[in-house]
């Protein structure tokens, strides 16, 4: 019989789910950390369209029923929407910084 005590605790060496997904890509419901089951692709996702669709669904009859009947599932969708919102804000900030840097480069020439 193998001695399990001789092996280091592999689970302790793994990063937490929050560290893997990004601490901001989560919701906490009744003490449970809810991470989005579908990660956001910062490069390829259309964050504006995704957010609009999630908001449309969340305010629909189906979304409101899910909020009441499946709060953890709804929290999953909400965490996914929050990740899109953060990605969109980061894109907008990068674009603003790039736009601000462009006139400075022109003046330096």
């Amino acid at each position: 019989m193998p001695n399990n005590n001789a092996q280091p605790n592999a689970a302790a060496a793994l990063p937490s789910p929050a560290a893997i997904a990004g601490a901001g890509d989560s919701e906490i419901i009744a003490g449970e950390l809810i991470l989005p089951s579908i990660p956001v692709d910062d490069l390829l996702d259309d964050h504006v369209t995704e957010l609009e669709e999630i908001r449309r669904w969340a305010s629909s009859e189906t979304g409101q029923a899910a909020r009441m009947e499946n709060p953890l599932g709804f929290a999953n969708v909400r965490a996914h929407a929050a990740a899109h919102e953060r990605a969109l804000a980061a894109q907008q900030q990068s674009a603003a910084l790039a736009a601000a840097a462009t006139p400075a480069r022109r003046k330096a020439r």
Side-chain angles (χ1 to χ4, degrees):
M1 208 173 204
N3 181 355
N4 289 339
N5 292 333
Q7 297 177 358
N9 185 352
L14 295 175
S16 70
I20 293 169
D25 295 348
S26 64
E27 292 291 318
I28 298 178
I29 304 292
E32 293 286 326
L33 180 68
I34 308 298
L35 297 171
S37 59
I38 300 173
V40 169
D41 186 321
D42 290 335
L43 179 63
L44 299 177
D45 283 352
D46 180 346
H47 304 296
V48 171
T49 302
E50 293 271 351
L51 275 170
E52 287 173 357
E53 181 59 22
I54 291 169
R55 287 180 175 140
R56 185 206 58 75
W57 173 82
S59 57
S60 72
E61 194 172 306
T62 304
Q64 290 300 301
R67 181 187 291 245
M68 299 302 292
E69 297 167 11
N70 184 5
L72 292 178
F74 190 88
N76 183 355
V77 174
R78 193 173 194 291
H80 185 76
H84 277 296
E85 192 168 60
R86 277 186 296 283
L88 179 60
Q91 281 181 345
Q92 290 170 340
Q93 183 179 16
S94 292
L97 290 172
T102 301
R105 281 190 222 137
R106 286 184 187 147
K107 288 179 184 178
R109 289 183 187 175

